[in-house]
Each structure stands twice: as structure tokens, then as C-alpha cells.
Amino acid sequence: MLTEYIDSIERAAHIIRAGGLVAFPTETVFGIGADATNSDAVKRLFAAKGRPGNNPLIVHLDDAAHWSRAASDLSDVARVMLDCFSPGPLTVVLPKKETISELVTAGLETVGVRVPALPIAREILRSAAVPVAAPSANQSGRPSGTTWKAVAEDLDGRIDAIFTADSSSIGIESTVVDCSAGTPLVLRPGAITLEQLQKIVPQTRELQADEKSEMTASGRQVNSPGILHPHYQPRAKVMMVDLPQKELTGEQSKDAAYCGLDVFDGVESFPCIKVFDSIDDYAAGFYEFLREVDRQAIERVFVQTAPEHGIGFALRDRQRRACGG
Ligand code: TXA
Ligand code: MG
């Protein structure tokens, strides 16, 4: 397949409406969009990404007021969360509407719904006028694409078009909150923190490690199977380090890369380093750095453990997964 490189909102929307696959930017990461009501398109989307069929996709809308295009019901809690954080880096899991393809939701009764904040994304969604299923734009298991060139590396020849736009500003995927029953449950941390959510809905809590299986104690199906698959992994071996740490100098630094917020003695001898000015910059540049390490065929990368505040909490979650668990 010949992939078109485009910068026209109308063209992107047209391809999606016609059942094609278009990578487009959002403020979190780039997504690969397909019409969520078209099972053939969604099937091709899973194939293009090499994504396991039991990992559901998020449905993207241009406006939270259009929630009923994807979901069959909106609880008060979900409404309040959407009012406060949409458009933005939040996905709410709601009861599924029957017109959404079952492939999108991997057979679940629920659907993840998100309204991205990036104007280009919203314009494409508005123009497409269909609910758009969009996973992160990367080969399944790899670091998410936060630049159109990274998307091209993984998906050129596998999807119909790539929208060439600026890098994603947040760089970490949306916070996923299950609002489909009872207490809201954070399934995946993101730029919207647990504390922010609890200010709006105090009973919101985080999914615990022992719940990341089939059922919670209440019998509620948590089932965010995505959290169980390998994710965000470059070819290089990733190791988290707390600095300052002497062992990073000397022998280990040969043919290794480093990224983090702090510099330390000896870091100059690493063939590939990136020191970020802030935790937000670190989150925004993390996946792209992992990809750069692979481009340079470096086999090991040390990543400074992210501080656990703000987006650092979500970044640390991605770092752990990039390490392989
Ligand atoms: O920021 C984002 O969310 C990006 C951009 C493109 O919007 N998208 C994204 O999609 O990260 P993806 O497919 O890489 O991750 C979707 C996550 C997975 O962990 C999946 O299991 C979860 O959302 N998810 C989707 N639908 C769900 C549902 N019905 N119930 C529970 N989890 C769901
Ligand atoms: Mg993903």
C-alpha cells in the first residue's frame, strides 16, 4: 500500500469516512484513525498495528456533547469528568452503543471515549462526522509515535495516510477512567492525575496491581486487557536508574544511552544522551528518545526514574513497562 502524506483536514476526514486508515496528531500521542462503525476498517487497523484482538480501542469524538455517538448511557460521574477535562487527555469508559463495531471494544460491553484537545484532531473528527477508533500510532508493543516521522517509521506502507503535523505536546497517552459502573477506576495513568480527578469525584481510585486480571472483588469486569500486553518497548534494553549513581560511569557507559532530568559525572562519555529541563519535557520527549536510541542501534538505555508528581506518575508507569514490567 502506498501511504499518502497529507496536511488537509478534508482529505483526512474523507479517507476515514471511506473506510481507510489515517494517522493524525493529538496532544497526547498520534493515533491511527478508522471509522468505529465500520468493522472492515477496524479489522485492517488491528492488522496494520499488529495489535492483539483482545485489546480494545478508544473511540474519539469532536465534542463531548456527542457522547451518544459512541455510548449508550452517561452517568452523572462520567458527565462531571467530561465537563471538567474534555476536550483533553482523558478517556472515560462508558456502556457501549450497539453501532460501535464489536471489534473496537474487543467484545466488551463498554467503550472508551475521548475528545482530544488538539484543534487539528478535533477538526478532522468534526469533518469525518463518524466516531473514530484510534489507537496510538505505532507497531504494537513499540513506543507510541509522538512525531509524524516516528509514525512513518512504523506504519509507512501499512496505512492509507499520515497527517504531517507538529510533535505531540504531552507525549504520554490519555488517562483512562472506567466510569461504567460504581466507583470510577483509573485503569491507565496519564496527564490528568488521580488527585485532579478526586477533586471532582472524591471516590475515584486507582486500579491495583492484583486487579489487573479478569474480575474485581465486586465481580465487575475491569478488563483493560491492554495493560497486560507488552508496551512501549524499544529494541534496546531499558533500565531505570535513580541518580546520582556512580555505577553508571566507566564500563557500563560504553555503547549505552541515557535520558533524565539530571546530569552526572561521566555522562559525556555516553554516545547518546538527553537531559530534559522539566518533568513535562521529559514526558513529551521520552518515547522519541527511545526511538532515537534504536535508530542509533544502541543496545542499552538508562532512564532516570521519573519523580512521582504531576505527569511524572504516568511517565514512571510507562518507564516500568518499557523495561518489560
Ligand atoms: O492518548 C490516547 O489515549 C491515545 C490517543 C491516540 O488518543 N490513544 C491510545 O490508544 O493510547 P491505545 O489503543 O494505544 O490505548 C488504549 C487503552 C488500552 O490500554 C485499552 O486497553 C484501553 O485504552 N481501553 C480501551 N477501551 C477500553 C474499555 N472499553 N475498557 C477498558 N479499557 C479500555
Ligand atoms: Mg498504545
Side-chain angles (χ1 to χ4, degrees):
M1 173 190 302
L2 191 65
T3 299
E4 265 181 70
Y5 287 80
I6 60 174
D7 59 6
S8 152
I9 304 274
E10 275 313 315
R11 181 76 191 137
H14 172 82
I15 295 171
I16 290 171
R17 270 199 310 273
L21 309 179
V22 181
F24 65 97
T26 85
E27 73 281 16
T28 57
V29 299
F30 280 63
I32 314 168
D35 178 351
T37 65
N38 179 336
S39 289
D40 289 333
V42 175
K43 203 177 288 173
R44 289 178 53 230
L45 175 49
F46 274 90
K49 253 198 89 136
R51 182 174 178 112
N54 66 352
N55 190 1
L57 308 177
I58 294 169
V59 173
H60 294 64
L61 302 172
D62 68 318
D63 195 314
H66 295 151
W67 63 268
S68 65
R69 292 180 185 177
S72 62
D73 188 37
L74 189 68
S75 63
D76 290 344
V77 154
R79 186 183 297 273
V80 161
M81 286 195 179
L82 285 177
D83 280 350
C84 288
F85 301 112
S86 272
L90 179 76
T91 295
V92 289
V93 175
L94 303 172
K96 173 187 176 295
K97 181 175 181 166
E98 78 281 2
T99 46
I100 299 296
S101 166
E102 287 183 0
L103 299 177
V104 168
T105 56
L108 297 178
E109 300 286 302
T110 57
V111 61
V113 176
R114 168 160 133 75
V115 181
L118 188 77
I120 292 173
R122 292 187 75 191
E123 284 167 33
I124 291 171
L125 294 167
R126 188 175 319 130
S127 178
V130 291
V132 173
S136 54
N138 52 273
Q139 278 296 318
S140 188
R142 297 262 303 147
S144 303
T146 55
T147 68
W148 71 262
K149 286 183 180 159
V151 175
E153 266 169 11
D154 277 23
L155 295 163
D156 184 73
R158 306 183 66 88
I159 60 178
D160 297 286
I162 295 174
F163 198 101
T164 57
D166 291 343
S167 314
S168 297
S169 57
I170 294 177
I172 298 285
E173 306 78 4
S174 62
T175 306
V176 178
V177 188
D178 186 350
C179 296
S180 65
T183 311
L185 202 52
V186 177
L187 303 180
R188 179 176 73 180
I192 311 258
T193 63
L194 181 63
E195 295 69 41
Q196 282 176 286
L197 294 167
Q198 285 174 336
K199 272 195 192 135
I200 309 302
V201 181
Q203 66 270 33
T204 306
R205 64 183 187 87
E206 222 186 322
L207 183 66
Q208 299 302 310
D210 60 358
E211 293 176 312
K212 291 180 184 176
S213 53
E214 300 300 293
M215 297 279 181
T216 60
S218 64
R220 168 178 177 190
Q221 202 164 19
V222 168
N223 230 332
S224 190
I227 47 191
L228 302 173
H229 295 295
H231 262 103
Y232 321 120
Q233 294 174 1
R235 281 182 290 278
K237 180 171 164 49
V238 182
M239 287 160 287
M240 288 166 78
V241 290
D242 296 306
L243 291 179
Q245 201 186 63
K246 290 263 182 312
E247 300 89 274
L248 274 189
T249 57
E251 201 40 41
Q252 286 198 30
S253 67
K254 262 193 244 141
D255 211 35
Y258 167 78
C259 70
L261 291 167
D262 295 308
V263 276
F264 55 92
D265 288 348
V267 79
E268 328 68 65
S269 67
F270 281 54
C272 180
I273 59 168
K274 179 103 188 163
V275 178
F276 296 97
D277 288 336
S278 67
I279 184 64
D280 288 343
D281 285 354
Y282 193 4
F286 181 67
Y287 290 141
E288 186 56 23
F289 184 76
L290 295 183
R291 287 176 169 274
E292 182 56 28
V293 169
D294 278 355
R295 285 178 203 123
Q296 296 188 26
I298 294 171
E299 285 174 9
R300 294 172 311 149
V301 50
F302 295 97
V303 305
Q304 183 179 13
T305 306
E308 247 175 345
H309 59 80
I311 198 165
F313 186 80
L315 176 56
R316 191 184 282 203
D317 167 75
R318 305 311 193 268
Q319 291 180 324
R320 280 198 214 99
R321 293 171 202 278
C323 292

Coordinates of all heavy atoms in Angstrom, one line a residue, residues 29 49 51 55 135-138 141-142 144 173 188 231-232, ligand 2:
V29 N -0.5 11.6 22.0 CA 0.4 10.9 21.0 C -0.4 10.9 19.7 O -1.6 11.2 19.7 CB 0.7 9.5 21.5 CG1 1.4 9.5 22.8 CG2 -0.6 8.6 21.6
K49 N -1.4 -2.5 12.8 CA -0.6 -2.3 14.0 C 0.0 -3.6 14.6 O 0.8 -3.5 15.4 CB -1.6 -1.8 15.1 CG -1.4 -0.3 15.4 CD -2.1 0.0 16.8 CE -1.1 -0.2 17.9 NZ -1.1 0.9 19.0
R51 N -1.9 -5.5 16.3 CA -2.4 -5.4 17.7 C -3.2 -6.7 18.0 O -4.1 -7.1 17.2 CB -3.3 -4.2 17.8 CG -3.9 -4.0 19.2 CD -4.6 -2.6 19.1 NE -5.3 -2.3 20.3 CZ -4.9 -1.2 21.1 NH1 -3.8 -0.6 20.8 NH2 -5.6 -0.9 22.1
N55 N -7.5 -6.4 22.8 CA -7.1 -5.1 23.4 C -8.0 -4.0 22.7 O -7.8 -3.6 21.6 CB -5.6 -4.8 23.2 CG -5.2 -3.6 24.0 OD1 -6.0 -3.0 24.7 ND2 -3.9 -3.2 23.8
P135 N -6.1 3.9 18.1 CA -5.1 3.5 19.0 C -3.8 4.4 18.7 O -3.8 5.1 17.7 CB -4.8 2.1 18.6 CG -5.0 2.0 17.1 CD -6.2 3.0 16.9
S136 N -2.9 4.3 19.6 CA -1.6 5.1 19.4 C -1.0 4.6 18.1 O -1.1 3.4 17.7 CB -0.7 4.9 20.6 OG -0.5 3.5 20.8
A137 N -0.3 5.5 17.4 CA 0.2 5.2 16.0 C 1.6 4.7 16.1 O 2.6 5.4 16.0 CB 0.2 6.5 15.2
N138 N 1.7 3.4 16.3 CA 3.0 2.6 16.5 C 2.7 1.2 16.2 O 1.5 0.7 16.3 CB 3.5 2.8 17.9 CG 2.5 2.4 19.0 OD1 1.7 3.3 19.4 ND2 2.5 1.2 19.4
G141 N 3.3 -2.8 20.8 CA 4.5 -3.1 21.7 C 5.6 -2.1 21.7 O 6.3 -2.0 22.6
R142 N 5.6 -1.3 20.6 CA 6.7 -0.3 20.5 C 6.3 1.0 21.2 O 5.2 1.2 21.5 CB 6.9 0.1 19.0 CG 7.4 -1.1 18.1 CD 8.9 -1.1 17.9 NE 9.4 0.1 17.3 CZ 10.6 0.6 17.5 NH1 11.4 0.0 18.4 NH2 11.0 1.7 16.9
S144 N 5.0 4.7 21.7 CA 4.0 5.4 20.9 C 4.6 6.4 20.0 O 5.7 7.0 20.4 CB 3.0 6.0 21.8 OG 2.4 5.0 22.6
E173 N 0.1 8.9 26.7 CA -1.3 8.6 26.4 C -2.2 9.1 27.5 O -1.9 9.2 28.6 CB -1.5 7.1 26.1 CG -0.6 6.5 25.1 CD 0.8 6.2 25.6 OE1 1.0 6.4 26.8 OE2 1.6 5.8 24.8
R188 N -5.5 3.5 33.5 CA -4.2 3.9 33.0 C -3.9 5.3 33.4 O -4.7 6.2 33.1 CB -4.2 3.8 31.4 CG -2.9 4.2 30.8 CD -2.8 4.0 29.3 NE -3.6 5.0 28.6 CZ -3.8 5.0 27.3 NH1 -3.2 4.1 26.5 NH2 -4.5 5.9 26.7
H231 N 4.4 -3.3 26.2 CA 4.1 -1.9 25.7 C 5.3 -1.1 25.7 O 6.2 -1.2 26.6 CB 3.0 -1.3 26.6 CG 1.7 -1.4 26.1 ND1 0.8 -2.2 26.6 CD2 1.0 -0.7 25.1 CE1 -0.4 -2.1 26.0 NE2 -0.2 -1.1 25.1
Y232 N 5.4 -0.1 24.8 CA 6.3 1.0 24.9 C 7.8 0.5 24.8 O 8.7 1.2 25.3 CB 6.1 1.9 26.1 CG 4.7 2.1 26.5 CD1 4.1 1.6 27.7 CD2 3.8 2.7 25.6 CE1 2.8 1.8 28.0 CE2 2.4 2.8 25.9 CZ 2.0 2.4 27.1 OH 0.6 2.6 27.4
Ligands
MG2 MG -0.9 2.2 22.5

